[in-house]
Amino acid sequence: MFTIFFEHRLLTGLISAFLLLSVICQIIAGLVYHKLISETDNISATENKQIKQCKQKYASYYKLNGKMVNTEVFVDRFIQKICFAKIQLSRFVHASGQLMMLSILLAGIAICLSLAAGNTLFQIMPYYLVSILGLYLYFSVSGIVDIQEKRKILKTNLTDYLENYFVPRLESERENAMKEGVKKREKYALEFMTDKEGDEKTTESYSGAEAQPVVKHYQDELENLLEEFFA
């Protein structure tokens, strides 16, 4: 009965290859998501490049806006851009379904060719078995891997960390930077007022254009300090 596979070796090989690639795509996506989920258990000390990029981009957006970022939207976009071998994982999932459908399509073509060649229903039964077993394997692996559930877990872990741990730390750093800027401004103002009398006497000793460089010097220093404070 299974000798019919040798009558259409090319189709049989393609059916097997597409079925195998379909399962591999599911497994790759599942393993990558599982790895990222395990990294989020100790996300503050992780060395995973994609998680570190997520934290760096979030910190950049937070500092740029000066306020809290829409964390859920940010995490959704990050998960959509997760890659393996420079290919987005969402494409692996889509490719898995397409490859499975190609496998079924080729099995149907092989059945039609066998019927046209005069083979009986019993003789072409192996192709039906391959199609049914292929679908069973695909949905079994899909259920075990459970890509959607892993995406939800990863999103929950990242959102929880960014909102409840990362944002307070960024806010603390921002407040400390503002306090340092205020201290520098107060220190400069005190030094400026202390030296003001002596500087006025110095500028009085110059005439016209000669006094302008001295005044310009203090103006530049004050502008630099204000730029540093409001940066």
Side-chain angles (χ1 to χ4, degrees):
M1 180 174 67
F2 292 98
T3 56
I4 195 172
F5 287 142
F6 296 98
E7 296 180 8
H8 306 288
R9 294 182 180 179
L10 178 60
L11 287 175
T12 302
L14 290 175
I15 291 169
S16 302
F18 288 148
L19 177 60
L20 181 61
L21 288 173
S22 174
V23 173
I24 290 175
C25 287
Q26 288 270 1
I27 293 174
I28 288 174
L31 289 176
V32 173
Y33 281 126
H34 178 75
K35 175 65 175 177
L36 292 174
I37 290 171
S38 63
E39 290 291 338
T40 57
D41 292 337
N42 189 22
I43 191 171
S44 59
T46 183
E47 293 298 327
N48 184 275
K49 292 183 179 179
Q50 298 192 82
I51 298 293
K52 290 174 70 175
Q53 287 177 356
C54 175
K55 293 165 60 177
Q56 291 171 357
K57 288 182 179 179
Y58 188 86
S60 298
Y61 291 151
Y62 186 90
K63 293 176 181 178
L64 180 63
N65 295 331
K67 57 183 179 180
M68 187 174 296
V69 182
N70 191 329
T71 307
E72 290 190 0
V73 174
F74 177 85
V75 172
D76 280 333
R77 290 178 178 175
F78 166 73
I79 293 176
Q80 285 291 335
K81 294 179 181 179
I82 294 175
C83 298
F84 176 80
K86 297 183 178 181
I87 302 175
Q88 292 183 1
L89 289 187
S90 57
R91 294 185 179 180
F92 278 95
V93 178
H94 295 155
S96 176
Q98 295 298 320
L99 290 169
M100 186 68 238
M101 294 304 298
L102 281 174
S103 176
I104 300 299
L105 176 62
L106 291 177
I109 293 173
I111 290 172
C112 292
L113 292 175
S114 299
L115 289 173
N119 292 314
T120 64
L121 180 63
F122 178 77
Q123 289 175 317
I124 65 174
M125 190 62 67
Y127 284 114
Y128 286 106
L129 293 176
V130 168
S131 299
I132 294 171
L133 292 175
L135 286 172
Y136 176 78
L137 178 62
Y138 172 80
F139 287 110
S140 297
V141 172
S142 179
I144 293 171
V145 174
D146 201 355
I147 300 296
Q148 294 300 322
E149 183 63 23
K150 283 182 170 57
R151 285 170 62 95
K152 289 180 181 178
I153 295 173
L154 180 60
K155 178 181 177 180
T156 300
N157 292 353
L158 287 173
T159 303
D160 175 65
Y161 172 78
L162 293 175
E163 288 186 343
N164 299 324
Y165 298 94
F166 201 51
V167 167
R169 193 176 77 182
L170 292 175
E171 186 64 25
S172 177
E173 292 177 356
R174 183 167 174 266
E175 290 178 356
N176 291 335
M178 292 180 65
K179 290 179 181 178
E180 288 295 326
V182 171
K183 289 180 180 178
K184 288 182 179 179
R185 187 179 65 173
E186 291 176 348
K187 180 180 179 181
Y188 178 82
L190 180 61
E191 292 177 353
F192 181 79
M193 293 300 296
T194 303
D195 298 337
K196 185 176 180 181
E197 293 181 359
D199 295 335
E200 287 179 349
K201 292 179 181 179
T202 302
T203 54
E204 287 175 357
S205 63
Y206 295 99
S207 60
E210 295 179 347
Q212 292 181 359
V214 178
V215 177
K216 186 66 168 57
H217 169 72
Y218 287 104
Q219 289 178 344
D220 292 340
E221 287 189 0
L222 184 58
E223 288 177 0
N224 293 333
L225 181 62
L226 291 175
E227 289 177 359
E228 182 181 352
F229 176 70
F230 288 107

